[in-house]
Amino acid sequence: MSTAKASQAENSADVQLNIGHLEDEGTTVPESSEKVGPEASTEISQKGWFRRGESKTQQNNTKDGDSDDEEEARKKKEAEGQTFGNYLRILSHGSTYDRIFQIVGTIAAMGAGAAFPLMVIPFGEMSTTITDYQTPGSTISDDRFRSEIDRLCLFFVYLFIGKFIAGYIAMACFRTAGINVSAKIRLKYLASLFAQPIAYFDTHGADMPATGPQASGAPETYSQFGSVDSGSSGSVILAITSSSNTIQLGISEKLGLFIQFTAMLIASFIVAFTTNWELTLITALILPITAIIYGVTVPMDIQLEKKVVAAYTQAATVAEESLGTIRTINAFNAQPRITKKYTKFLQNAKKIGVKKCPLISIQFSAAFFVIYAGFGLCFWWGIRMLQRHKLPGGVGDIFSVFFAVLIAVMSFAQIAPPIANMSKAAGAAHGLFQVIDSSVELVKERAAGRKLDGDGGENKTWTPQLEFKSVDFAYPSRKEAQILSGLSVIFEAGKTTAIVGSSGSGKSTIVGLLERWYEPDNPEPVPNEKDEGNSAHGSDLPGGRIYVDGDIDIKTLNREWWRTKIGLVQQEPVLFNDTIYQNVCYGLLGSPWENAPEDEKRNLVKEACIEAGAGEFIDQLPDGYDTRVGEQGVRLSGGQKQRIAIARSIIKKPPILILDEATSAIDPRSERIVQAALDKVSKSRTTIMIAHRLSTVRKADKIVVMGKGNIIEQGTHEELLAIEDGAYRTLVEGQRLLVEAKGGEDIALEDLDDGLATADLDRVVTTKSALSTGKGGTNTEELNEQQKKVAGMGVVRCVGLMLWEQRSHWILFTLAFASAICGGAVYPAQAVLFGEFAAAFTKVGDMDELVRTGNFWALMFFVVACGVLVCYSILGWTFTRLQHHLTTEYRLEYFQSVLRQPISYFDKEGNATGTLTSRLNSDPNALQEFIGMNMGMLSLAVASVISCAVLGLAVGWKLALVCLFSAFPIIFIATFFRVRIEIQFEKATAAVFENSSQFAAEAVGAYRTVTSLTLEKSIENRYKVLLENHVKDAWRRTRWAMILFSGSESVTLLCMALSFWYGGRLISWGEYTVAKFFIVYVALVQGGEAAGQWLAFTPNMAQAVASARRILGLREPEAPKDAPPKSPVPLGDSTGGCEVEFKNVRFKYPSRDTPVFRNLSLKIEKGQFAAFVGASGCGKTTTISLLERFYDVDDGKILIDGQDIKDLDIVEYRQIVSLVSQEPVLYHGTLLDNVRLGVPEDTPLNQVEEACKAAYIHDFISSLPEGYNTMCGNKGVGLSGGQKQRVAIARALIRNPKLLLLDEATSSLDTTSEKIVQEAFENAREGRTMIAVAHRLSTIQKADVIFVFDEGRIVEKGDHQTLIRKKGVYYQMCQAQALDK
């Protein structure tokens, strides 16, 4: 007989989505400050970028904190009050068809829920009929008995058919409606999000209303330091995936289950009270006691589980940070430091998890104790009622009442999870609805505004003039920090205006205002609003506004139309995961060629790419313009992405072109080509250039020098150079390239004869090099051998090996398995007690004997309940403790194994940071579920199956065989699949929308690019198509699962009918007694269902074994971790530095066909400052990777002080090497922790301060409220690029390296910061060898030796002056960056 465990069905329908589109408006991110010294420090402190989270300063803000707490409490209360309203509002998003599905599903769910309680009626009658027939002196004939059994068995068949059909319809309807409604909300949310102004992201950052900080699970510090982009895309991922999946689950199968279990609860009590109200009241005591048990233990368990998950989340954050920056971790030998940090969070999770042992023990054992004790109470009270002649139905009434109440208890327990899911759905919707509601007016606002020059605004010859008039501006999130102060500047029509100045001066803010991501502060009122746009000219125009064509305020223009007139190239180009052709084609949106034929579009794309200097490398790609660029353009180099972004901006021939550091990521030669292209395309349009490299702006018609939010100087290049001690001249001097003339006089490079033609330094792009970022590595063969070794391990061997490894916990394992075996014996014991109790009612003629026997077996139920209490208590406690011990050990081992892998392992396609981080969590989880508590369930199930089968065969082999080969396997398998399908529902829901969610997250992550290209409608349309396809896919994937689910939920009724029918025949033939029949029936039918339920909760065994193989496959059993170094580096006097020599080096990345180096040879003497220069892709950075031992050479040698680098102990070697990379990596923690990354944690503070002073970052850190204890945020988001770079330099210098490697270490710095950092490097070169890779040649002109690379070989070598006089390749590179006097 079924105990009515929870049931769900994963259903959907192939229903077309009809989702309307909303509009949007754009956003941007404020530029960060890179000022140097106390001034910058004070400014940033005032801006509030460094919160005081745990500081002593917080004590002074207690009052404000209290008010914040009150506000949070008020908002929480308000949100809770809207829960029910939000839930109804979710359902209101459904179409008419969806509402029909929901109504039909409700009726069907009520019918499906009532089936099991109704089954109790024929079950009770069947029990009474059997006992009456077996009672001595019974007048029931054999034929009449068999006829009655047949009639009652048909009721089970009818109920099976009804429940199967009703269950299928209910789950299909709710699944269909749920998926449709969820899809509509997803699309509406995304459209509403794109309608938000950038201020929304500034204000909310990582704490967007869609999820909130608690929902995201992110540490509080993340939200404090979350920048605009760092928070928004992550929150959108959560909103569109987690929150939307929660909503879908809460309105589909969970709603159906709520209705079904509610109907089951009501029907059960109706049946029970109708049968016997008194016995029902007594038996129903199970319900409140069970409710109390769960009511006390579940909330405590949830709280502890939240803490465990939070600790694992922190560990996952550490893993993601470290794996995403594995080169930095390796370069600084930081594996032990990171492992210690990771272990700390794991131990914290283990400590909290172990506290769950008594809770799980009580919850698991007490609930079953109450149920089994309820058996005894019900049967004992039933006997008493029989004595008083208040039980006309005999044993049938007792069984009917008890099982009806038991079903009610089970259904009551199963109502709670759907309610929780529905509540979560309403809570998740609250944040989404906030975004949707706030967009209504914004959509109207976006549609408003004028379009100039014709109906479509398509006049190709329009060349507007732009004017900022007394514009003030501060970012909404930092109102106290004024960025622009009364800025007045004119960008003349058809001319190029360059904006230069230090970082933080307001240059990029101008871009945000022109793109209308922001609006100026405090605009002066217009005298006559009706005539705005036709108001007075010149000085009569109100200030605080931006004008186009003299008197038209851009705020009065249609925002989307205005953006189509601007071509924007940003410093960090964003490409979408599509083809090169499609990425460039996005630039045609809003242009006259938006709907042009495909051939014409392809010609336009090709022309734009050639103009941008991208045509050459694209033509050499295997798929040409149809090459996919990968996520965020990862398959292309920075320069290649930049050129495609330029092509995308100029393809629509915009009248306004804005170049925000458009050539910053390009090497000198490429920069010269692209700059020439930009100069060409700028001639016919109003162009605004923002640049740090002053060589790119020398030809501008006007140069504007900004400082502190206003104009310091403006004029042409020559005019500004003529100003003595001028700001622009100072910037130029910082980037000037000098050469010593024959007479010893230093003159500017530009004054030399430019007689040499052109020495090309082309990058030869192979078919794969352009799509590679340096994949390859070492130790692949060893890794494969280890993986092959474990690949053949089966389930038994894998589990056996891991159990053997955990033999130190043998006492816990012994107790656990012993309790599982004893617990498994409960089901055969229960079968014996049921049979004997039922048999007692055949003695109805001797009431005293019936009472005595009945009371005895009722008491035995209580004895069994006590045994259950003890066994299940031990089982719950031991396996819970074991799972937390095991998961901690294997998580840590797995993490250490991954960190040990060579860099080539992380370069492989399937080993991206996100994938590895996910595996580090999911693989140990799979083992935890298998070896932990669920192994107890499995052991319990196996013990139950074996003991029930043995008992059934021993007592009555005929009925046992029928059950074993028909009913038992069907019930067992059906129950297993039913619960497994339940468990898989949430995963399936997430999987259905996975691709569309990733697409949405990518789109929001590129918010500024999307809005600048007016891609919103295109994004919405693509997202809509993806959602529609997912809805169809959901139906195809789940329709068979629904049939299986509904059948598995109902088939128990059919098997019960078979057992009763055949058992009735055996009883009528005199072969079975009542006791024998019920013993076999309960053992094999009920026992089979219960065992199936236990087994179903165990994880997918194949998944667990696959996880075990991955963990074991990363071990290195043949290579001891503490193996002695082959030839340790002598750590003697380090004042002289290292001698570095490349000797006939050959190297290629395994993923490429073409070698990077064919026969590279070079030598750097001790203490020299060497520089590597050349075009992108010529092998400069590869030399740094080889020197850091990220990869090993294929042939030849790299010698350090005469020793082959391969023979050196890698850990000892890296202790004398420090690396400063192009993109500095900082880790979540204090600034002190980050500087100490590569040195012992107890390094004195004075050494840290000395290193920071040498890197010119000490004054800035000291000015912060918390000084060196300031949290720098995730990936250093609380710092500007220049500040992060200087912290990274300090981190390198504190190690006092013999070899200092600088890979584009100053590329992200403005001229002032670069000059200071360059001085730091020049001071740091004493006593060490320094190798610098650079594109800015001004930073390496003082190098002792410069190596010029081309196609993986050295084409020139010498110091700056020598190479200039050669007038070769290096000379041409310098010409590209030269500045005239």
Side-chain angles (χ1 to χ4, degrees), residues 257-500:
L257 287 174
F258 170 74
I259 295 171
Q260 182 173 322
F261 288 126
T262 301
M264 188 182 295
L265 176 67
I266 295 171
S268 296
F269 276 113
I270 291 174
V271 169
F273 277 105
T274 302
T275 303
N276 192 294
W277 67 269
E278 183 180 346
L279 188 59
T280 299
L281 287 176
I282 293 297
T283 310
L285 288 173
I286 297 174
L287 190 59
I289 297 173
T290 305
I292 290 171
I293 292 170
Y294 282 107
V296 172
T297 59
V298 169
M300 297 170 68
D301 182 41
I302 290 173
Q303 291 303 316
L304 288 175
E305 184 61 25
K306 282 182 179 179
K307 293 179 181 179
V308 171
V309 171
Y312 283 145
T313 300
Q314 290 175 308
T317 301
V318 172
E320 186 177 19
E321 250 189 346
S322 55
L323 297 181
T325 58
I326 191 65
R327 285 170 172 78
T328 302
I329 295 294
N330 279 323
F332 286 87
N333 285 331
Q335 294 94 332
R337 178 80 58 86
I338 294 297
T339 300
K340 182 179 178 182
K341 195 174 180 181
Y342 190 76
T343 305
K344 176 184 174 183
F345 292 125
L346 291 187
Q347 290 297 333
N348 187 31
K350 175 182 173 183
K351 183 179 178 181
I352 298 167
V354 168
K355 291 180 181 178
K356 295 175 64 176
C357 291
L359 279 177
I360 299 297
S361 177
I362 293 170
Q363 184 184 108
F364 192 52
S365 60
F368 283 94
F369 168 78
V370 170
I371 290 173
Y372 280 98
F375 276 103
L377 176 63
C378 178
F379 296 161
W380 173 72
W381 192 263
I383 295 293
R384 291 191 63 183
M385 292 183 67
L386 189 67
Q387 278 184 295
R388 292 180 284 142
H389 304 288
K390 291 187 176 181
L391 201 68
V395 70
D397 282 359
I398 295 176
F399 283 177
S400 294
V401 169
F402 177 77
F403 284 119
V405 173
L406 185 59
I407 290 172
V409 171
M410 293 297 182
S411 60
F412 177 76
Q414 296 301 330
I415 285 175
I419 290 177
N421 285 109
M422 293 161 68
S423 178
K424 286 178 183 178
H430 179 66
L432 271 63
F433 287 150
Q434 279 186 323
V435 177
I436 292 171
D437 291 342
S438 66
S439 68
V440 177
E441 292 301 321
L442 294 171
V443 170
K444 295 178 182 176
E445 180 187 338
R446 190 179 71 172
R450 294 187 294 162
K451 298 180 181 180
L452 303 180
D453 55 356
D455 295 335
E458 298 174 355
N459 189 336
K460 301 175 187 177
T461 61
W462 184 47
T463 51
Q465 174 175 296
L466 302 170
E467 178 182 1
F468 280 62
K469 184 168 184 181
S470 304
V471 171
D472 294 332
F473 180 74
Y475 288 107
S477 60
R478 303 196 306 271
K479 278 294 185 183
E480 71 282 359
Q482 195 71 22
I483 304 299
L484 301 180
S485 302
L487 176 67
S488 294
V489 62
I490 295 176
F491 301 101
E492 296 178 26
K495 293 186 177 181
T496 298
T497 303
I499 306 174
V500 300

